Amino acid sequence: MLGKLTWAAIPFDEPIPLATSVILIVVIGSLLTWITVKGYWAYLYREWFTSVDHKRIGVMYCLLALVMLLRGFADALMMRSQQAMAIAGAPGYLPPEHYDQIFSAHGTIMIFFTAMPFVIGLMNFVLPLQLGVRDVAFPTLNSVSFWLTASGVLLINVSLVIGEFARTGWLAYPPLSELKYSPGVGVDYYLWSLQIAGVGTLLSGINLVTTILKMRAPGMTLTRMPVFCWTALASNLLIVAAFPILTATFAMLSLDRYLGFHFFTDDAGGNSMMYMNLIWAWGHPEVYILILPSFGVFSEVISTFSGKPLFGYRSMIAATMAICILSFLVWLHHFFTMGAGADVNAFFGITTMIIAVPTGVKVFNWLFTMYGGRVRFTVPIWWSLSFMVTFVIGGMTGVLLAVPPADFVLHNSLFLVAHFHNVIIGGVLFGVFAGYTYWFPKAFGFTLHEGWGKAAVFCWTLGFYLAFMPLYVLGLMGATRRMQHINDPSWAPMLYVAMVGALVIAAGILCLIIQLVVSIRDRDNRRDLTGDPWNGRSLEWATPSPPPVFNFAVMPNVEGEEAYWGIKRTAIEQQRLADEPQYEAIEMPHNSPTGVITAFFATVMGFAMIWHIWWAVILGMVGAFATFVWFAWRDEDEYEIPAEEVARIDRERRRVRTEVLLPSLSRPL
């Protein structure tokens, strides 16, 4: 009836996982009890869980990412403290089998369930606003995408309480991930959580590519789009091209484990190196899927707070699309040591060096944008400055690793770990934090506290250098990665410094939490009444904060590269807004439970596949399919917002802009 699931799946004999499980259950139970006591379930279901509004879905993506950042960072602290304690014969406090699960979960969570949801959340929220449209191309599919990602998050966290997680590393290389060497359910949790979330990511990529290419405001040609839209387009094109590779790779590994196939078994005709080829044919484009939207964020932030157009707009577009194409020509640099030969290694080494060129173009364009501008040193600008210094260092170490002879020495060392975190933390995380701070007032109608934000920037930056610069040194000294204990006592000082760095990063996370709490507490004093708190240059700042469900009462007519900036300059020159438009009724899509229901059945199916509960697998598949059939056969899928309501909302926006924003902009800075 329950397949392989028994009471033995709960870790009663392992104190650390058991204590973690109890804490997790208590926290979640307390939260659910609080929601019930306050009577918030109806509101949450009506306004959030079933919403198809791109703005709310974007906010939920970002909230999910922030929660999983805490979960993934807890794993990082445990790994770093274990290595600092387990030196020269000392055992530390984590047994090897538990440590292996922690470092596998850390990488999986940080890439798939922190970085990915954060960048997709920002793109979801911002793109339709910048494009001057009312929603994404497929609103209900957007909800399905989010809830499938949440389903993957749920499954990976269930592995804390029931069963175990993979002990294979975050990419589950065979033969270690094959049934012979990983007979438990850990690899199955890994496969099904990522397969389900990966389908959601692919659907989101299709949705956003369609939105950018087919749903722009009148006059918004491709070369009038903000750079963030271009980087989002490149990122989502990569999602559409790369994630099917990941899905197929995991499907083949699942067939190996469930039905005894031999795709990657190293016997009976299998080849584990083919898994390496496939996983990195997805994996290196994945790095650019994450970093390109962050590049777009920095472009928006630096232009806005420098008070001038982005330098080299067209070269930024060219650099973005060059990275998009070249990212598919570098994957083999992840395994130069596989023996492919000098010619193959030379080709991928050269392409890896070439891809650094368009990235360098972007950095110089950002610097030239700031040069001669009147830079306002707000929190998003500080994130951007920290990024530019940190990311350039990561890029230079990447170019070093692109040299095959150097990679032969460094490929499995802590030098590589430091490089990867240099790019992901200094690039992706600093980018999403800048975007989070920059667009927060647009989402919620009030700004975040500047002091605590700057403290977060300082702690994250200092903590990063303390945590990872020692790893570069240790890597050059010969320290390999994935170590549960350290034999060489001479490495101890560097590991202690790295531990201090992790604690400083923890202080940075605490600063972000305090910043949010303080800002919410003081929100009445931090209100953004105008919808344009930063003197922005793109169309999202033309809407109120937060924007109405329909975003724009009348579709904007774009006449230049910086659509909103041009509108604003004209209003300042004429000392009045444009004439009031003719308001019409607007049709918007109904909320839909399709996403929640589909994710529920997907979770049932995934959990059942993990534990071989075949009747529940059938139930989950049939339920998910029936949900889509029901959605497809709906008779009514839109509702109408009357012209009078549209006019009332937009007239209030015009009144505030005339009385508050226009006079403030007319004064010399």
Side-chain angles (χ1 to χ4, degrees):
M1 183 70 177
L2 295 179
K4 298 192 300 182
L5 185 59
T6 65
W7 285 108
I10 299 176
F12 291 115
D13 58 340
E14 299 180 47
I16 295 176
L18 185 62
T20 305
S21 302
V22 171
I23 293 171
L24 185 66
I25 291 170
V26 169
V27 169
I28 294 175
S30 301
L31 178 61
L32 296 179
T33 301
W34 178 76
I35 292 173
T36 303
V37 170
K38 290 289 188 178
Y40 290 155
W41 283 113
Y43 165 77
L44 289 173
Y45 180 82
R46 183 181 65 253
E47 298 294 333
W48 291 92
F49 296 165
T50 61
S51 177
V52 297
D53 183 350
H54 72 94
K55 299 179 289 297
R56 298 207 161 178
I57 291 172
V59 168
M60 289 192 289
Y61 265 117
C62 293
L63 179 61
L64 182 70
L66 287 169
V67 171
M68 294 308 289
L69 173 65
L70 299 177
R71 165 78 167 84
F73 185 74
D75 290 338
L77 276 179
M78 294 175 73
M79 286 189 292
R80 188 58 58 227
S81 58
Q82 165 66 20
Q83 287 192 336
M85 295 169 64
I87 298 175
Y93 68 100
L94 290 175
E97 63 275 7
H98 189 203
Y99 181 85
D100 290 349
Q101 292 181 58
I102 287 172
F103 79 67
S104 301
H106 169 72
T108 305
I109 287 170
M110 286 303 204
I111 294 297
F112 289 98
F113 298 124
T114 299
M116 283 296 293
F118 223 141
V119 297
I120 292 175
L122 290 178
M123 289 188 294
N124 252 292
F125 182 86
V126 175
L127 278 178
L129 292 169
Q130 287 197 336
L131 294 171
V133 297
R134 297 202 165 102
D135 211 320
V136 295
F138 311 112
T140 303
L141 194 68
N142 201 21
S143 173
V144 173
S145 299
F146 167 75
W147 287 107
L148 287 177
T149 302
S151 175
V153 167
L154 179 59
L155 280 177
I156 203 171
N157 283 290
V158 166
S159 70
L160 270 176
V161 184
I162 305 173
E164 61 181 4
F165 194 63
R167 303 174 187 176
T168 56
W170 75 279
L171 286 176
Y173 293 149
L176 184 56
S177 57
E178 294 284 355
L179 198 59
K180 180 179 179 180
Y181 301 103
S182 295
V185 296
V187 174
D188 301 319
Y189 267 112
Y190 172 89
L191 288 171
W192 290 106
S193 62
L194 296 191
Q195 282 285 53
I196 292 169
V199 171
T201 301
L202 177 59
L203 295 177
S204 182
I206 294 169
N207 206 345
L208 294 176
V209 167
T210 306
T211 302
I212 296 169
L213 294 180
K214 305 299 290 185
M215 292 187 64
R216 301 186 300 276
M220 173 94 51
T221 61
L222 288 174
T223 52
R224 288 179 177 175
M225 293 195 307
V227 169
F228 182 77
C229 296
W230 273 103
T231 58
L233 174 61
S235 176
N236 285 285
L237 286 171
L238 290 174
I239 287 175
V240 173
F243 264 79
I245 301 174
L246 182 72
T247 300
T249 306
F250 284 165
M252 285 187 276
L253 182 56
S254 299
L255 289 170
D256 279 8
R257 290 181 58 83
Y258 282 82
L259 297 177
F261 281 42
H262 295 283
F263 288 109
F264 310 124
T265 57
D266 279 337
D267 58 17
N271 185 349
S272 61
M273 283 311 304
M274 185 53 65
Y275 182 93
M276 293 281 284
N277 263 296
L278 290 170
I279 203 71
W280 282 114
W282 159 82
H284 204 85
E286 166 67 8
V287 174
Y288 291 98
I289 288 169
L290 296 176
I291 197 65
L292 282 169
S294 290
F295 287 170
V297 170
F298 294 126
S299 298
E300 301 298 319
V301 165
I302 290 171
S303 175
T304 296
F305 292 108
S306 297
K308 55 186 290 194
L310 188 67
F311 181 90
Y313 170 78
R314 281 170 171 74
S315 66
M316 290 292 261
I317 295 173
T320 298
M321 300 316 292
I323 290 172
C324 181
I325 295 168
L326 289 170
S327 67
F328 266 106
L329 300 176
V330 297
W331 82 88
L332 196 130
H333 70 212
H334 289 274
F335 43 103
F336 278 142
T337 55
M338 72 178 283
D343 292 341
V344 172
N345 285 356
F347 174 83
F348 284 94
I350 291 168
T351 55
T352 304
M353 296 176 195
I354 290 173
I355 203 171
V357 174
T359 306
V361 168
K362 287 178 175 289
V363 173
F364 280 110
N365 281 355
W366 292 321
L367 291 173
F368 287 141
T369 302
M370 297 178 71
Y371 179 77
R374 183 173 292 181
V375 180
R376 291 170 284 154
F377 287 95
T378 59
V379 172
I381 275 287
W382 282 115
W383 282 119
S384 303
L385 291 172
S386 180
F387 151 79
M388 280 193 278
V389 175
T390 307
F391 189 79
V392 165
I393 294 172
M396 289 189 295
T397 60
V399 172
L400 174 61
L401 288 168
V403 181
D407 188 73
F408 266 72
V409 178
L410 299 170
H411 78 283
N412 203 36
S413 73
L414 288 178
F415 189 96
L416 181 61
V417 174
H419 159 71
F420 186 76
H421 286 80
N422 205 156
V423 173
I424 297 300
I425 294 178
V428 178
L429 275 184
F430 286 7
V432 295
F433 289 155
Y436 159 76
T437 310
Y438 181 60
W439 284 305
F440 188 93
K442 180 54 58 180
F444 296 103
F446 59 94
T447 57
L448 288 169
H449 192 279
E450 282 281 308
W452 283 110
K454 290 176 181 176
V457 177
F458 175 79
C459 289
W460 268 95
T461 305
L462 177 63
F464 167 80
Y465 283 98
L466 288 174
F468 292 102
M469 292 301 125
L471 300 193
Y472 278 124
V473 177
L474 287 171
L476 291 169
M477 293 169 66
T480 57
R481 53 185 175 154
R482 305 188 180 106
M483 290 187 295
Q484 184 260 350
H485 63 278
I486 309 298
N487 291 325
D488 191 338
S490 68
W491 295 349
M494 290 293 179
L495 291 170
Y496 296 151
V497 173
M499 181 64 211
V500 171
L503 293 174
V504 176
I505 292 176
I509 293 176
L510 182 62
C511 287
L512 288 173
I513 295 171
I514 295 173
Q515 179 195 35
L516 183 60
V517 172
V518 169
S519 302
I520 293 173
R521 184 195 65 193
D522 300 337
R523 61 189 179 276
D524 289 338
N525 298 323
R526 312 187 64 83
R527 292 289 180 193
D528 167 29
L529 300 177
T530 65
D532 185 15
W534 311 125
N535 194 18
R537 309 178 77 86
S538 47
L539 281 175
E540 71 268 31
W541 306 111
T543 64
S545 297
V549 65
F550 49 79
N551 292 346
F552 299 93
V554 177
M555 300 293 280
N557 187 31
V558 178
E559 296 180 352
E561 287 181 2
E562 294 185 305
Y564 177 52
W565 189 256
I567 294 171
K568 213 159 35 171
R569 294 299 97 189
T570 301
I572 291 172
E573 290 170 5
Q574 299 179 355
Q575 281 300 296
R576 67 182 186 87
L577 271 62
D579 295 336
E580 183 176 290
Q582 180 69 40
Y583 297 109
E584 297 179 356
I586 296 173
E587 288 188 345
M588 296 299 296
H590 279 293
N591 285 358
S592 172
T594 303
V596 177
I597 297 172
T598 301
F600 170 78
F601 284 115
T603 305
V604 169
M605 185 193 73
F607 185 80
M609 286 294 296
I610 291 163
W611 292 101
H612 296 189
I613 309 172
W614 304 119
W615 63 268
V617 172
I618 296 171
L619 174 66
M621 293 176 66
V622 171
F625 178 75
T627 302
F628 271 97
V629 171
W630 166 79
F631 169 71
W633 284 87
R634 290 186 309 168
D635 292 330
E636 183 181 355
D637 56 4
E638 291 183 335
Y639 69 98
E640 185 178 272
I641 302 175
E644 296 78 16
E645 177 67 9
V646 175
R648 183 190 65 79
I649 294 172
D650 196 56
R651 283 168 182 156
E652 175 61 18
R653 178 191 71 89
R654 291 172 61 86
R655 183 192 67 79
V656 171
R657 294 194 166 229
T658 301
E659 297 177 2
V660 180
L661 181 60
L662 191 57
S664 68
L665 294 176
S666 300
R667 291 192 295 268
L669 295 175

